[in-house]
Amino acid sequence: VLESQRKIQARDLLLQLDRSRRAPVSRQLEEQMRGAIRSGALVADEQLPSTRVLAEDLGVSRGVILRVYGQLAAEGYICLRQGAAPTVRAGGLDTRTLPPRNGGGIVYDLRPHLPDVASFPRQPWLRAVRESLAHARVADLGYSDPAGLWDLRVAVANYLSRTRGVTAHPAQTLITAGSTHSLSLLSRVLARRGDRRMAFENPSHRILRAVASMGGQTVVRAAIDESGVRPDTIDQAESLVVSPAHQFPTGVVLAPQRRTALVDWAQQAEALILEDDYSAEFRYDGVPTGALQSLAPDHVVYLGSTGKTFAPALRLGWMVLPEALMDEVSRELACNMLHVSGLDQLAFARFLQCGDFDRHLRRMRQVYGARRSFITGLLAELLPGHEVRGIAGGLHIVLGMPSHSTAASVRLEAQALGIGIDSIDQHSFADSAGPAGLVIGYGALPEPTLEQALGKLVEVIRRYEEMHQG
Ligand SMILES: Cc1ncc(COP(=O)(O)O)c(C=O)c1O
């Protein structure tokens, strides 16, 4: 037990149940506890009362408390462990387990979110910066339109309809600082108009779920299988975040019949689909799938980013919105004054217009395709008993593991040796669902370094298996 841990009594939580309110008791408790963690009244590592104690103190059934704790754990606010008291996580996000952004202590970076920034096209980018600045109008250097520079919105809308089949009008195409920023804006806008239940695939990126929750959303889960998300499992959500082209982290693609079923769900439930078209540009087997957005532009918000395709450091992405959301989202962007630098937007518009972005993508597709073949070949040879999962696309593969706890132990051991890696359980809701595995990114490292890193990882896996045999 950490010294800083303080055991919270039920009365310390100052929970108040108003039985005259229409909101169910569990919803009231959930809101108050979430509020206490967000405001800092409950801080990281504090122990919460057991379900039995809290249920007795509040005069409610234990099932109610189980539901409340389950939901808060799914949103990342609290941590549940078998046989131990629940504890509070930092600010709803367990910052102790978030990957260090700068890769502190990591020698071999196999984390799935990293593209090969060493291949950043410095010379073409410098040319775009120089030329765009030389041609910039004086007005371009003043305050820019919060929705993005018009020239860039036109260039992005053209790029999306050309490469992803998105129905994109420049007036409905907004520039943001990337998909995380777009999701944060949408979460706040939807919450303000009363749409507060956002479904995420289980598993799905834990940081995105935390961002939605910080934006006022109650995060609920949707199950997935080898055909992608199952709309029949979405429990009363007003929106759903989904990555149809390449599900993160499992690497499956949303099957054609599921696409139709998902659109039917959105239309019937009058819900919104947030399509995270994450790393869709990278498909190495020649079977690209178009964006879901084109099937129902009024029910889908399309989210895109240069974070994987170019460089995360640029912080530049986009959203294509249904017309009905335009005003509210533009107002939210205008009010938070957090737009991408107009100078970077000018440079990226030029980079797109002169074909340099397409050239860069073509080159990177070859690089990543070769790396993927290399790593799948190597793993088949070194670990023949472990399945490699995920389509030939994106920047990571999933290496099958016998259980989520094995995968988590291997990940921690690998990290202790300086190998940065993810596992499926990190991105699952509280009860890890579906097949277990390690999520191995191959984007950031060239083949010789990948070979060294995988060699060390395989040693960790073999050692673990030997120790736990029988
Ligand atoms: C599943 C998923 N979606 C989207 C993103 C992109 O985020 P951003 O555009 O904010 O860099 C990431 C980055 O790690 C991701 O893993």
Side-chain angles (χ1 to χ4, degrees):
V1 174
L2 295 173
E3 272 183 13
S4 63
Q5 269 183 351
R6 171 166 77 96
K7 196 156 190 163
I8 300 273
Q9 307 290 317
R11 64 175 176 278
D12 295 334
L13 296 171
L14 296 179
L15 298 172
Q16 287 175 349
L17 295 182
D18 181 351
R19 292 179 202 273
S20 65
R21 271 181 61 193
R22 272 186 54 207
V25 165
S26 59
R27 186 74 69 87
Q28 294 183 35
L29 285 175
E30 235 176 80
E31 281 167 8
Q32 290 176 39
M33 293 186 77
R34 195 184 290 116
I37 297 172
R38 278 202 192 131
S39 69
L42 284 173
V43 299
D45 294 328
E46 280 184 319
Q47 278 187 13
L48 296 167
S50 68
T51 48
R52 188 186 48 77
V53 169
L54 191 55
E56 272 170 19
D57 276 18
L58 295 171
V60 298
S61 76
R62 204 161 157 222
V64 168
I65 307 297
L66 277 170
R67 258 199 314 281
V68 172
Y69 278 179
Q71 180 60 34
L72 293 174
E75 293 173 24
Y77 284 102
I78 66 172
C79 190
L80 299 179
R81 273 175 308 237
Q82 195 84 41
T87 50
V88 177
R89 287 180 158 181
L93 237 190
D94 188 351
T95 48
R96 292 162 306 176
T97 60
L98 286 184
R101 283 284 180 195
N102 60 3
I106 290 180
V107 183
Y108 296 107
D109 209 336
L110 296 174
R111 292 175 300 163
H113 63 279
L114 279 179
D116 187 358
V117 283
S119 296
F120 184 79
R122 292 180 192 229
Q123 288 313 319
W125 179 248
L126 273 173
R127 193 170 57 233
V129 169
R130 210 169 31 244
E131 288 176 3
S132 62
L133 190 57
H135 291 94
R137 293 163 293 222
V138 172
D140 289 334
L141 303 175
Y143 286 103
S144 55
D145 182 345
L149 295 191
W150 184 252
D151 286 357
L152 179 58
R153 293 164 70 186
V154 172
V156 167
N158 284 339
Y159 164 74
L160 293 178
S161 63
R162 175 167 61 79
T163 61
R164 305 290 307 127
V166 175
T167 308
H169 190 283
Q172 284 161 235
T173 306
L174 267 57
I175 303 304
T176 69
S179 301
T180 315
H181 181 212
S182 301
L183 179 65
S184 163
L185 289 165
L186 289 163
S187 301
R188 290 198 297 269
V189 166
L190 295 179
R192 221 176 16 244
R193 73 175 196 195
D195 294 341
R196 296 208 175 87
R197 281 171 73 82
M198 187 176 275
F200 278 76
E201 296 159 301
N202 185 22
S204 53
H205 205 298
R206 63 200 165 132
I207 296 184
L208 299 183
R209 297 206 303 268
V211 164
S213 161
M214 298 294 247
Q217 293 292 329
T218 296
V219 171
V220 299
R221 74 191 72 188
I224 60 171
D225 59 22
E226 63 287 351
S227 301
V229 70
R230 285 182 43 202
D232 59 309
T233 63
I234 304 170
D235 179 20
Q236 289 182 9
E238 285 107 8
S239 62
L240 164 75
V241 179
V242 66
S243 39
H246 188 226
Q247 206 276 337
F248 184 90
T250 61
V252 300
V253 174
L254 190 64
Q257 70 278 15
R258 284 285 167 80
R259 291 176 167 245
T260 319
L262 202 51
V263 168
D264 287 348
W265 166 78
Q267 284 165 344
Q268 273 161 25
E270 293 185 31
L272 203 59
I273 297 170
L274 312 187
E275 178 177 17
D276 179 7
D277 203 28
Y278 143 86
S279 74
E281 288 87 345
F282 298 134
R283 185 84 195 236
Y284 318 118
D285 51 6
V287 234
T289 41
L292 179 71
Q293 187 264 6
S294 63
L295 297 183
D298 290 339
H299 283 279
V300 181
V301 180
Y302 177 91
L303 312 184
S305 173
T306 58
K308 304 286 170 280
T309 50
F310 201 41
L314 185 60
R315 305 313 309 140
L316 195 147
W318 39 77
M319 266 191 281
V320 181
L321 290 167
E323 201 179 343
L325 272 175
M326 271 304 296
D327 281 354
E328 277 174 281
V329 177
S330 310
R331 247 197 324 274
E332 182 74 27
L333 255 175
C335 291
N336 78 21
M337 286 304 282
L338 227 183
H339 356 122
V340 181
S341 149
L343 299 179
D344 285 342
Q345 292 189 51
L346 281 176
F348 192 70
R350 193 155 192 102
F351 198 73
L352 257 178
Q353 283 155 353
C354 71
D356 277 342
F357 191 56
D358 292 86
R359 259 186 292 283
H360 174 66
L361 289 179
R362 274 200 298 278
R363 183 162 71 93
M364 295 319 292
R365 235 174 256 130
Q366 299 228 312
V367 169
Y368 294 140
R371 280 182 196 171
R372 187 179 188 282
S373 304
F374 179 75
I375 153 170
T376 49
L378 204 61
L379 287 170
E381 191 185 308
L382 298 175
L383 290 174
H386 292 255
E387 186 194 5
V388 172
R389 298 198 295 263
I391 55 151
L395 299 176
H396 72 269
I397 51 115
V398 174
L399 180 67
M401 285 280 132
S403 70
H404 289 290
S405 64
T406 307
S409 305
V410 168
R411 165 172 55 80
L412 290 173
E413 266 182 53
Q415 272 168 7
L417 296 175
I419 306 167
I421 198 168
D422 275 17
S423 53
I424 298 273
D425 57 282
Q426 286 180 290
H427 298 285
S428 299
F429 283 64
D431 52 339
S432 301
L438 293 173
V439 186
I440 305 180
Y442 51 82
L445 302 178
E447 278 87 341
T449 326
L450 267 180
E451 188 166 6
Q452 287 168 18
L454 285 180
K456 289 188 186 301
L457 180 65
V458 166
E459 274 174 35
V460 173
I461 295 172
R462 285 190 183 141
R463 215 169 30 242
Y464 187 88
E465 287 177 344
E466 272 161 30
M467 274 169 60
H468 292 83
Q469 246 165 20

